[in-house]
Amino acid sequence: MVLSIMRKHAKSWLIKFLIGIIAVVFVFYFGYSFTTDQALKIAYVNGVVISGPEYEKTYQDMISAYQSRYKDMWNENMIKMLDLRTRALDALIDQRLISQAAKRLGIEVTESECQKAILSYPAFQINGRFDMGRYQSLLSRNHMTPEDFEKSISQELLNAKLQQFLFAFLGVTDQEMLEYYTFVNEKIKLAFVEFNPQDFRKSVTFDESALKTYFEEHQEKYRIPKHIQVSYLCIDPASFKDSVQVTEKEIQSFYDYNHAAYSQPKKVKARHILFELAKDAAKETDEKVRETAEAVLAKIRKGEDFAGLAAAHSSCPSKSKGGDLGYFEKGQMTPAFEEVAFNLKEGEISDLVRTPFGYHIIQVEDVKEAHIQSLEEVREQIVDALITSAASELAHEKGLSIVDQMPYDIELSVYGKQHDLDAKKSDFFSIAEPIPGVDGSERMAGTLFALGKNETTGLIELGGRFYIFQVAGVEESYLPELKDVAEKVKADYTDHLAAQNAAAAATSFLKELKEGKPWEQLAKEKGLTPKETGFFTRRGPIPEIGQAPELIETAFRLNAQERFPNKPFVSEKGAFVIRWLGKEGIDEAAFIKEKEAFGESVVQAKHQRIFENWLENLRKNAEIEIVTPVKGTS
């Protein structure tokens, strides 16, 4: 806001006066207030202060982390939406509490432990060894000093030591693992009948008065959302490619730096003939297929055309290309197939090879040994990469200069012409829609809808291009009249009444069941076809019904004595009446086999829950005094 005013009145006496005042404030404030700022107190945690500078750094680091995550989708409104100021303070309070608890327990992190952790940090290593240049470069790139990073590493190590201490005597018993494994893996089977609202639509009747009442009660559902229209300039890196010159030195440097990327594994080019056979085929079937395959192999050995025989006999889709599989490397075919193919020489033909798919005859046509591509082999792609990168940088620089020089309150179309760019104008769109005509803008609407009319964004990268957007038009949200949305309201009201009728029919059906009517007989009387789910666990959807956590919870409480729930399950799909059919316990052999791996996840979940409870308990018993409130400020 302030910058906008200053842009608008850049040459006025008012701004000159304001700049003078700001200069005086800076002189006095920064002349003697550094110590005052250091003394600014945000909070006390058991008597230990959280200072203003410390809080601001944590807060700014948190903003940077979210900016990095959301990139061009980030806007200042998200600070309030995510409540980052409160989160930053909470993080510092937790940090203080953990440090204080560790100190009371005699737990500390030594300088040598911190140093060892940094030296072993994978991101700072080249060829398995710590590299100081890489360390300093990565920290600089992330706007972090070595002191800050070392402090964060020390805190991580302290947290790990504390958790190790807390959990030393908090293992998971075999009984706990069994109970949780049972909870996750036991299965039940249901029968059900479905009352589909679509079957009740034809019998639905209502008058205009009822329709009007429904509309008035659900008017917000038909609100026309706010729409905006944007003007935008597009700075396309492709238009800068002709001005980029790539030197031989740059090509060589790029090749040297990315040398490992040009390593090519061994590849073979092969054809094959597949005689399809199931992995568990009967012995007689196996022998019959094998005889056919051996007969074809004999023809190949006598010199008949491999491609022709593949086209005539293979079960693989590659038969249309004479069995040609092209070049492939290890890891792309089944192990048994690969083992033979990679041991054949150019022109050699295999014996029969058995894989889970059947019997194969393999002919290797070419072998490319593992090698590193020469500079000449990859020169063209390196040049293209360098040109693309340089063109993108030029486009980015131009975009930034356009944004920096842009006067306040100027139309983008007018300003664009001054820079030989034609502004385009989108159609109106809502916050749930991408910007019409702009690829990759699916997540941009939220940023644009935070702007007012004629306000402009900074430079935004989308789909490899750079954009500057300006809100050109705004159509505010409004509630339509019934006549304008009558057809949709009628359809919705009909669906609403049909769903009510379906639920009522399901309730009546369940009531009769509980009164003793036989399941099959009642379903037949009502013209319903019972279905079964098959066995399923608590995880995932219910077969034939779909995602229904509430129904799963209800269903797993049923048993042979109580087969029906107290009420039907109603979802968007319709109303369901379920009947418990049976339960299937766990496979104890599978539990024993999976126990170790499963136990680790149970331990982690238990430890996480305990640590959170422990930290919450520390908070409850701590003396936390907020001196300078941070919530709601920006």
Side-chain angles (χ1 to χ4, degrees):
M1 181 67 181
V2 174
L3 289 176
S4 298
I5 293 171
M6 291 178 72
R7 257 190 209 161
K8 189 172 183 179
H9 303 284
K11 296 181 181 179
S12 74
W13 66 268
L14 173 63
I15 288 303
K16 291 176 183 176
F17 174 74
L18 282 173
I19 289 172
I21 293 296
I22 290 168
V24 171
V25 171
F26 265 60
V27 167
F28 280 95
Y29 183 79
F30 289 107
Y32 64 83
S33 293
F34 278 131
T35 53
T36 305
D37 186 51
Q38 291 290 344
L40 179 65
K41 299 175 180 66
I42 299 297
Y44 284 98
V45 181
N46 293 323
V48 179
V49 71
I50 294 175
S51 69
E54 181 184 18
Y55 168 75
E56 282 300 323
K57 184 182 183 311
T58 301
Y59 171 60
Q60 293 301 330
D61 287 347
M62 196 170 280
I63 288 177
S64 296
Y66 276 95
Q67 283 176 328
S68 177
R69 181 188 300 180
Y70 288 100
K71 297 183 179 177
D72 292 330
M73 309 305 137
W74 173 264
N75 65 69
E76 295 301 311
N77 288 341
M78 294 177 75
I79 293 176
K80 287 186 178 180
M81 185 174 73
L82 297 169
D83 198 11
L84 295 190
R85 281 206 170 273
T86 302
R87 286 192 184 192
L89 181 56
D90 285 343
L92 281 170
I93 290 172
D94 288 347
Q95 196 178 95
R96 285 286 190 278
L97 291 170
I98 290 169
S99 297
Q100 290 168 2
K103 189 175 181 180
R104 288 195 298 272
L105 294 167
I107 299 170
E108 61 178 18
V109 174
T110 65
E111 189 176 327
S112 62
E113 286 175 320
C114 182
Q115 186 180 47
K116 185 179 178 181
I118 292 172
L119 291 175
S120 61
Y121 215 76
F124 303 140
Q125 294 182 348
I126 295 178
N127 296 325
R129 300 188 64 179
F130 178 80
D131 184 271
M132 180 58 76
R134 189 175 183 84
Y135 174 64
Q136 293 173 336
S137 173
L138 282 174
L139 292 188
S140 175
R141 200 182 305 166
N142 287 281
H143 310 292
M144 185 179 281
T145 66
E147 291 77 18
D148 291 334
F149 183 73
E150 287 159 19
K151 186 177 178 181
S152 70
I153 286 293
S154 292
Q155 189 65 42
E156 281 184 24
L157 292 173
L158 187 66
N159 290 359
K161 279 190 171 187
L162 186 58
Q163 289 187 31
Q164 187 177 12
F165 174 84
L166 290 174
F167 306 146
F169 305 103
L170 287 174
V172 175
T173 65
D174 286 352
Q175 184 60 32
E176 284 178 309
M177 274 193 281
L178 179 60
E179 287 173 2
Y180 190 69
Y181 187 88
T182 301
F183 180 83
V184 170
N185 291 285
E186 67 179 346
K187 299 176 182 179
I188 60 170
K189 181 167 68 171
L190 303 174
F192 69 91
V193 288
E194 178 182 359
F195 294 81
N196 191 329
Q198 293 299 318
D199 298 333
F200 294 82
R201 280 179 63 89
K202 290 181 180 178
S203 61
V204 167
T205 59
F206 54 83
D207 57 26
E208 289 300 315
S209 175
L211 184 68
K212 184 179 178 183
T213 301
Y214 176 82
F215 174 67
E216 289 170 351
E217 290 174 350
H218 299 83
Q219 205 167 3
E220 277 298 326
K221 179 179 177 181
Y222 303 100
R223 176 179 287 279
I224 305 301
K226 178 181 177 180
H227 284 67
I228 65 171
Q229 180 184 48
V230 294
S231 294
Y232 60 92
L233 299 177
C234 176
I235 301 99
D236 190 346
S239 62
F240 291 82
K241 285 189 174 183
D242 291 341
S243 61
V244 176
Q245 298 294 322
V246 177
T247 66
E248 197 61 36
K249 184 179 179 181
E250 289 173 322
I251 296 171
Q252 185 67 51
S253 295
F254 188 94
Y255 178 75
D256 292 340
Y257 188 79
N258 296 283
H259 200 254
Y262 303 121
S263 175
Q264 296 293 308
K266 180 178 178 179
K267 294 180 181 179
V268 298
K269 184 177 188 294
R271 293 179 186 272
H272 84 134
I273 303 173
L274 169 64
F275 301 88
E276 195 169 17
L277 182 66
K279 187 166 71 171
D280 54 354
K283 185 178 179 180
E284 292 178 4
T285 306
D286 186 301
E287 289 175 354
K288 187 175 181 181
V289 172
R290 186 181 180 89
E291 283 177 14
T292 303
E294 284 176 341
V296 173
L297 178 59
K299 291 180 180 180
I300 294 170
R301 299 282 190 213
K302 291 177 182 177
E304 287 197 33
D305 181 50
F306 191 100
L309 289 169
H313 297 281
S314 184
S315 303
C316 178
S318 64
K319 66 186 290 182
S320 61
K321 299 181 290 183
D324 188 9
L325 297 171
Y327 285 97
F328 55 90
E329 59 191 65
K330 285 189 176 180
Q332 293 181 271
M333 301 293 179
T334 58
F337 188 98
E338 279 184 359
E339 186 179 352
V340 174
F342 278 86
N343 282 298
L344 292 174
K345 295 177 183 177
E346 183 180 332
E348 285 187 337
I349 295 167
S350 72
D351 292 326
L352 296 186
V353 180
R354 182 67 161 102
T355 75
F357 301 103
Y359 285 105
H360 305 254
I361 303 171
I362 306 169
Q363 180 187 51
V364 170
E365 295 188 326
D366 189 28
V367 178
K368 289 184 177 179
E369 296 295 340
H371 68 288
I372 294 176
Q373 292 175 288
S374 68
L375 174 57
E376 290 311 310
E377 287 180 278
V378 294
R379 174 181 292 274
E380 192 173 320
Q381 68 187 73
I382 289 175
V383 169
D384 183 61
L386 289 169
I387 289 175
T388 300
S389 176
S392 183
E393 286 181 19
L394 289 172
H396 186 245
E397 288 172 10
K398 180 170 182 177
L400 289 176
S401 69
I402 289 173
V403 170
D404 290 342
Q405 297 170 37
M406 186 173 178
Y408 174 83
D409 210 18
I410 187 173
E411 281 193 22
L412 207 56
S413 56
V414 174
Y415 184 57
K417 286 179 181 177
Q418 298 173 12
H419 293 270
D420 300 320
L421 291 171
D422 291 326
K424 295 181 180 179
K425 188 172 284 189
S426 75
D427 295 331
F428 279 91
F429 60 97
S430 72
I431 195 169
E433 300 171 317
I435 305 167
V438 179
D439 292 337
S441 63
E442 290 79 7
R443 295 169 58 200
M444 266 302 297
T447 300
L448 295 174
F449 273 76
L451 302 176
K453 187 175 180 182
N454 297 326
E455 287 191 327
T456 308
T457 66
L459 191 66
I460 292 172
E461 183 179 1
L462 293 172
R465 298 184 177 90
F466 298 95
Y467 293 87
I468 302 166
F469 295 96
Q470 184 178 69
V471 178
V474 178
E475 293 179 349
E476 293 295 346
S477 169
Y478 66 94
L479 291 171
E481 294 182 21
L482 176 57
K483 61 183 178 64
D484 296 324
V485 287
E487 291 306 312
K488 179 165 176 51
V489 177
K490 285 178 183 176
D492 289 347
Y493 190 37
T494 300
D495 287 341
H496 172 72
L497 294 177
Q500 284 188 335
N501 292 344
T507 301
S508 174
F509 185 88
L510 181 59
K511 183 173 181 290
E512 290 188 62
L513 286 172
K514 283 180 170 285
E515 289 171 352
K517 275 282 187 80
W519 170 266
E520 295 289 348
Q521 179 186 329
L522 185 58
K524 189 174 182 180
E525 287 176 8
K526 303 293 183 183
L528 298 168
T529 304
K531 296 180 182 178
E532 291 188 8
T533 62
F535 282 100
F536 63 93
T537 68
R538 286 180 170 87
R539 296 176 293 178
I542 300 176
E544 303 284 340
I545 294 177
Q547 292 288 354
E550 183 186 340
L551 179 58
I552 286 177
E553 188 178 333
T554 300
F556 272 85
R557 287 201 294 262
L558 301 176
N559 52 54
Q561 287 71 46
E562 189 178 355
R563 292 180 177 272
F564 303 108
N566 292 325
K567 61 181 181 178
F569 171 71
V570 180
S571 72
E572 291 181 357
K573 291 177 66 175
F576 297 84
V577 175
I578 63 170
R579 177 174 181 258
W580 187 88
L581 291 180
K583 177 180 177 180
E584 188 178 273
I586 63 167
D587 181 340
E588 291 188 12
F591 169 65
I592 293 169
K593 187 177 180 181
E594 299 171 26
K595 182 178 175 181
E596 186 175 341
F598 186 81
E600 287 178 9
S601 63
V602 176
V603 167
Q604 287 175 5
K606 183 177 181 179
H607 286 181
Q608 179 67 26
R609 187 175 66 255
I610 289 170
F611 185 76
E612 288 172 358
N613 291 340
W614 174 80
L615 191 56
E616 183 60 31
N617 194 51
L618 284 183
R619 270 183 170 266
K620 285 179 181 177
N621 294 296
E623 292 182 12
I624 300 172
E625 179 188 357
I626 308 299
V627 180
T628 307
V630 298
K631 192 174 179 67
T633 58
S634 60

